[in-house]
Amino acid sequence: MTRNLWIGKPGLLREMDQAAKSWDRSAELNVTEFKSLEGTVTTVAPARTIRRLKLSWDALEPGDAQHLSRLARRVNGPGMQGSPQNAYGPLVVLDPASVNLLDPYQAAAQSSVASGGDHWFTVQGTILISPFIGDTVIGDCQNANTRIGWRHGVWSGWPVAPGMKVSWLVPPDWSPATATAQLDWKDADGGYLSTTAVTGASITGTAPAGAAFVTPVGGPGATGMTGLAGACLTIGEAPVAFALGDGCPAMTVTAYSDVPSTVLPYRNISIDLVEVRSAEL
């Protein structure tokens, strides 16, 4: 699969075949410096960094330009009327440069809550998640049939489009001989569609018709203590153990320009986006 940008509402993603002329994906660090009279420097920074994207295209194809215009202006497009994913909610941006779509803290097995409930949930069986050395967490599996789901912070799973190739690698601590790697496909309302699963450390599945989200699931296949760091979720590429989580944050448009090209009906488009928890009127 070609690694192109996908953007749109959940269940209504559009692939941008034309490469952007410019593309900035820097995280916003928000570090503040304080310099004392003695010349020493103290810095203050938030616990998390947010993602920003700045993209621009020259002579963009009219259909793609209209799609971006609808997203920026919060105008419902075909198939969106009456959908829970309305014009005012956050956008999906599948960044082709992302190596791992898990949240960066999730990929590193670092949780802001003792239960790990911000990143993981129990699908079946029993697992107790607790802090461990180095600020990471580990799980204590009470049943060999335990299945753990990875939780997206905003949606019911990671956004996909039908036909996408999704690859999932469970934590490398798990034995490939007993581990289960599983992908649960869901529709635009978060309803369960089907499962793709294998015994082993990794799996690649194709998003079925009607799929709008995927939830990665795994099971160590054994009882006892097990690590949760190093998992990787990718689209169109082989997953890499312990890859830095780039995340797949919900985003909203903060700036937009639409300049007619010298060759009509093509348009010169630029769009700025920022990571958000929600996007309301």
Side-chain angles (χ1 to χ4, degrees):
M1 174 182 288
T2 303
R3 299 186 71 182
N4 289 335
L5 177 81
W6 290 75
I7 185 170
K9 296 293 178 178
L12 293 165
L13 301 183
R14 184 180 182 95
E15 184 177 15
M16 305 297 289
D17 291 320
Q18 181 176 329
K21 177 188 70 172
S22 66
W23 177 11
D24 185 340
R25 62 193 300 273
S26 305
E28 185 174 281
L29 302 182
N30 283 326
V31 177
T32 303
E33 293 187 15
F34 298 93
K35 190 172 183 178
S36 70
L37 294 175
E38 293 80 13
T40 59
V41 174
T42 301
T43 61
V44 177
R48 294 184 65 96
T49 58
I50 63 171
R51 291 282 300 279
R52 290 188 181 273
L53 289 176
K54 296 182 179 181
L55 299 150
S56 66
W57 291 264
D58 280 348
L60 188 61
E61 188 270 335
D64 289 341
Q66 286 193 26
H67 178 71
L68 294 177
S69 181
R70 285 183 179 276
L71 297 178
R73 298 169 63 188
R74 299 187 173 191
V75 178
N76 270 327
M80 294 179 67
Q81 289 79 4
S83 169
Q85 288 73 41
N86 59 47
Y88 312 118
L91 303 177
V92 176
V93 182
L94 294 179
D95 179 350
S98 293
V99 178
N100 186 357
L101 293 177
L102 296 182
D103 177 275
Y105 296 95
Q106 188 177 44
Q110 296 177 349
S111 175
S112 61
V113 295
S115 66
D118 54 340
H119 294 320
W120 302 278
F121 64 96
T122 303
V123 177
Q124 68 180 48
T126 305
I127 185 170
L128 302 176
I129 295 177
S130 59
F132 194 55
I133 298 172
D135 296 328
T136 64
V137 300
I138 57 172
D140 182 5
C141 285
Q142 308 291 305
N143 311 96
N145 67 345
T146 293
R147 297 289 182 271
I148 307 159
W150 271 248
R151 188 191 305 278
H152 192 281
V154 176
W155 295 300
S156 58
W158 276 257
V160 296
M164 276 186 176
K165 295 286 187 182
V166 179
S167 296
W168 166 235
L169 176 70
V170 300
D173 281 357
W174 299 2
S175 170
T178 60
T180 296
Q182 177 176 321
L183 296 168
D184 286 352
W185 309 102
K186 300 174 181 178
D187 63 20
D189 295 322
Y192 172 81
L193 292 175
S194 61
T195 291
T196 306
V198 298
T199 299
S202 65
I203 186 171
T204 296
T206 302
F213 300 105
V214 63
T215 295
V217 176
T223 59
M225 307 303 288
T226 185
L228 294 172
C232 184
L233 181 69
T234 64
I235 293 176
E237 295 291 324
V240 179
F242 295 105
L244 173 68
D246 285 303
C248 179
M251 308 196 87
T252 194
V253 177
T254 59
Y256 170 76
S257 70
D258 179 353
V259 179
S261 170
T262 53
V263 181
L264 292 176
Y266 298 96
R267 315 295 272 273
N268 299 329
I269 300 290
S270 66
I271 190 168
D272 295 1
L273 303 107
V274 65
E275 177 181 349
V276 295
R277 179 61 59 179
S278 63
E280 306 297 336
L281 279 176

